[in-house]
Amino acid sequence: MADISAEAEKFYVKLGDFAEFSKTISESDIYLYAGLTGDFSPNHINEAEMRKTAYGKRMAHGAMLIGFMSTTSTMVAERAARDSISESPVSLGYDRVRFIAPVFIGDTITVRYEVASIDLGKRRAVSDVTITNDDGKVVAVGQHILKWVPRG
């Protein structure tokens, strides 16, 4: 990683910049996501089948949680005054994603996205993303890589 110096003052994000997003997961969220992706696993859409498991009920798709991670990355990127800069932020993806606990219908989740490191040479920021449920339990984590590319 490049050394953070006075040049970092000119970058679009700073260490510790963050965004949060909260949402209550509804049954319609599950069905809309299943229809969009084609993931009709019983884990998500078959209550009777899930009652037979240790979970006891349906849960949200893990990939949907990654979508909510993306919501917060966009919130941070949009603060960079997109129209007045010579570069555009783009997602390079997510690393170290883990689904630690299930998210059930009716749970309210909060996604926190925080800039953890900056590489000025590569024009990248890596952020830690943590999702907690309404009981404060961590249900998912990951790291997101945001890169700034020149505008054409």
Side-chain angles (χ1 to χ4, degrees), residues 73 77 82 87-93 113 123-125 144-150:
S73 73
R82 185 182 290 266
E87 297 175 298
S88 292
V90 296
S91 175
L92 290 186
Y113 181 101
R123 311 302 290 160
R124 293 180 183 180
H144 180 247
I145 305 162
L146 195 58
K147 178 174 178 64
W148 279 262
V149 298

Side-chain angles (χ1 to χ4, degrees), residues 24-135:
T24 301
I25 304 301
S26 69
E27 185 168 23
S28 63
D29 293 329
I30 303 296
Y31 279 100
L32 289 168
Y33 191 83
L36 179 66
T37 63
D39 183 351
F40 295 101
S41 167
N43 294 349
H44 314 302
I45 64 164
N46 189 327
E47 188 72 25
E49 187 64 29
M50 289 308 291
R51 276 196 294 267
K52 299 174 189 173
T53 72
Y55 295 111
K57 54 187 169 182
R58 292 173 289 156
M59 64 183 81
H61 299 74
M64 184 189 331
L65 300 179
I66 296 172
F68 296 136
M69 291 179 181
S70 181
T71 298
T72 53
S73 73
T74 298
M75 292 166 71
V76 167
E78 288 300 312
R79 291 184 193 145
R82 185 182 290 266
D83 294 333
S84 64
I85 62 175
S86 61
E87 297 175 298
S88 292
V90 296
S91 175
L92 290 186
Y94 293 85
D95 287 335
R96 298 181 178 94
V97 174
R98 297 292 179 268
F99 305 119
I100 298 166
V103 173
F104 299 113
I105 296 169
D107 285 355
T108 298
I109 59 165
T110 298
V111 184
R112 182 175 173 90
Y113 181 101
E114 185 170 343
V115 177
S117 66
I118 297 170
D119 185 329
L120 295 173
K122 291 184 177 182
R123 311 302 290 160
R124 293 180 183 180
V126 175
S127 297
D128 293 327
V129 190
T130 304
I131 303 178
T132 55
N133 64 17
D134 37 357
D135 293 327

